């Protein structure tokens, strides 16, 4: 091959590489944002999976509840009953991104022994539930309303329903509290205030830098692929509608989701029955460990106060 031929070959190869890169960026990269069971991410994730306790080995009384949501997506949840003769309330438990309902086995046991039912849900596209894409609360808040309908109809659970969410679960819980007034109180741990903002933060956290116009383009592409409006995935907007008792919790060493977002959410909640707990020296994953029994006792006190307020209204 002569010099001119090599130049033509290199030029064509470069053009092909650029086109391939643009297509990959346009069609595939956005899926990393919303596609929870993306094969490439799953391959990476398997190296870090820690085996979780199963509800099947939990000695407390309970059962799986399966249902279909508003768009026919199938969901799996586990209802753990109160271990006492009376039921003080029922708490919906929502896990973080790429986690599952089994992360709440120990908490379900604690709540049961304290007299509460709890229902741990595999969120949309997570665990044993159906769906391909996470929509960061846009569709998930509707899933929660359907779950409450199921609890009403199948279990005759119609009052003192609370919600406890971590990270992504906290964002879903905030939107659910603003959307469905049948939820009478909420505990929100380590969550964000705006999907677009936190996605930009995460790009910088994981990649080391962020190009905002490019990231925002990927966000809107992800929304189009997953069928939701990224501008509606904004917990802080729903905070303005929350009048129920609410406890906001965040670690002051959280590098994934800055505590400032929790404070912004808190400031926008009009409820006169709101509380804020800052867990000193806790990062995104260690709120429970760092807070310890003192934190759980405080949370149980908050739940008891919230239910009493609801009963006295």
């Amino acid at each position: 091959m002569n010099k001119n031929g090599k130049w033509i070959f290199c030029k064509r190869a470069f053009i092909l590489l650029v086109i391939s890169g643009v297509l990959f960026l346009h069609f595939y990269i956005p899926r990393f944002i919303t596609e929870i069971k993306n094969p490439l991410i799953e391959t990476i994730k398997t190296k870090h999976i820690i085996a979780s306790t199963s509800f099947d080995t939990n000695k407390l009384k309970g059962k799986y509840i399966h249902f279909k949501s508003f768009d026919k997506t199938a969901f799996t949840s586990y209802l753990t009953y109160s271990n006492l003769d009376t039921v003080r309330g029922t708490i919906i438990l929502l896990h973080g991104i790429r986690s599952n309902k089994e992360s709440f086995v120990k908490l379900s046991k604690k709540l049961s022994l304290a007299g509460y039912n709890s229902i741990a849900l595999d969120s949309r596209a997570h665990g044993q539930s159906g769906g391909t894409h996470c929509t960061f609360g846009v569709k998930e808040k509707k899933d929660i309303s359907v779950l409450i309908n199921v609890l009403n109809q199948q279990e005759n659970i119609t009052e003192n329903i609370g919600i406890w969410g971590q990270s992504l679960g906290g964002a879903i819980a905030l939107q659910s509290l603003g959307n469905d007034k049948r939820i009478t109180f909420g505990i929100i741990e380590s969550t964000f205030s705006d999907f677009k903002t936190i996605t930009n933060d995460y790009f910088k956290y994981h990649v080391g830098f962020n190009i905002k116009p490019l990231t925002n383009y990927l966000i809107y592409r992800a929304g189009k692929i997953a069928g939701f409006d990224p501008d509606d995935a904004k917990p802080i907007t729903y905070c303005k509608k929350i009048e129920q008792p609410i406890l906001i919790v965040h670690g002051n060493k959280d590098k994934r989701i800055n505590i400032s977002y929790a404070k912004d959410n808190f400031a926008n909640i009009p409820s006169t029955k709101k509380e804020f707990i800052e867990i000193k020296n806790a990062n995104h994953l260690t709120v429970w460990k760092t807070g310890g029994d003192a934190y759980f006792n405080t949370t149980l006190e908050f739940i008891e106060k919230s239910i009493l307020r609801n009963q006295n209204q």
Side-chain angles (χ1 to χ4, degrees), residues 298-310:
T298 299
T299 305
L300 286 175
E301 288 173 8
F302 167 80
I303 294 171
E304 290 168 8
K305 284 190 301 182
S306 300
I307 289 175
L308 284 174
R309 285 167 176 164
N310 184 52

Side-chain angles (χ1 to χ4, degrees), residues 94-149:
L94 302 178
H95 58 74
I97 196 164
R98 295 188 170 85
S99 185
N100 54 43
K101 66 183 179 299
E102 279 72 26
S103 62
F104 289 118
V105 169
K106 290 183 179 179
L107 177 58
S108 297
K109 183 174 183 179
K110 282 178 179 283
L111 292 172
S112 177
L113 294 174
Y116 297 96
N117 295 334
S118 62
I119 182 156
L121 174 70
D122 276 333
S123 291
R124 177 176 292 263
H126 290 77
Q128 295 175 301
S129 289
T132 302
H133 298 279
C134 170
T135 67
F136 297 88
V138 176
K139 294 180 181 179
E140 287 83 354
K141 64 179 178 287
K142 298 178 184 178
D143 301 332
I144 298 304
S145 291
V146 174
L147 173 59
I148 293 173
N149 292 341

Side-chain angles (χ1 to χ4, degrees), residues 212-256:
K212 192 172 182 179
L214 175 59
T215 301
N216 287 339
Y217 170 77
L218 295 174
I219 288 169
Y220 283 108
R221 276 292 301 150
K224 189 169 185 179
I225 292 169
F228 76 102
D229 180 3
D231 289 324
D232 191 28
K234 203 166 186 175
I236 198 167
T237 298
Y238 288 84
C239 284
K240 298 173 183 178
K241 304 176 183 180
I242 296 174
E243 298 176 346
Q244 305 97 309
I246 185 166
L247 176 64
I248 303 288
V249 185
H250 215 101
N252 65 358
K253 300 295 184 182
D254 192 335
K255 294 182 179 180
R256 297 191 184 187

Side-chain angles (χ1 to χ4, degrees), residues 127-271:
Q128 295 175 301
S129 289
T132 302
H133 298 279
C134 170
T135 67
F136 297 88
V138 176
K139 294 180 181 179
E140 287 83 354
K141 64 179 178 287
K142 298 178 184 178
D143 301 332
I144 298 304
S145 291
V146 174
L147 173 59
I148 293 173
N149 292 341
V150 172
L151 291 175
N152 291 173
Q153 296 161 9
Q154 295 186 15
E155 297 293 322
N156 197 30
I157 294 172
T158 58
E159 58 183 14
N160 298 330
I161 297 173
I163 195 163
W164 188 333
Q166 298 178 318
S167 193
L168 169 64
I172 296 169
L174 284 174
Q175 292 170 77
S176 299
L177 281 159
N179 181 65
D180 195 324
K181 298 305 177 182
R182 293 176 296 175
I183 305 172
T184 56
F185 63 89
I187 300 116
I188 312 298
E189 296 176 339
S190 310
T191 200
F192 55 90
S193 55
D194 174 64
F195 167 58
K196 288 197 298 182
T197 302
I198 198 61
T199 303
N200 275 276
D201 288 354
Y202 262 53
F203 264 87
K204 187 173 183 179
Y205 178 80
H206 288 290
V207 181
F209 66 91
N210 180 56
I211 303 172
K212 192 172 182 179
L214 175 59
T215 301
N216 287 339
Y217 170 77
L218 295 174
I219 288 169
Y220 283 108
R221 276 292 301 150
K224 189 169 185 179
I225 292 169
F228 76 102
D229 180 3
D231 289 324
D232 191 28
K234 203 166 186 175
I236 198 167
T237 298
Y238 288 84
C239 284
K240 298 173 183 178
K241 304 176 183 180
I242 296 174
E243 298 176 346
Q244 305 97 309
I246 185 166
L247 176 64
I248 303 288
V249 185
H250 215 101
N252 65 358
K253 300 295 184 182
D254 192 335
K255 294 182 179 180
R256 297 191 184 187
I257 300 178
N258 195 281
I259 193 172
S260 63
Y261 299 136
K263 293 178 179 179
D264 289 342
N265 287 334
F266 186 79
N268 278 274
I269 294 171
S271 173

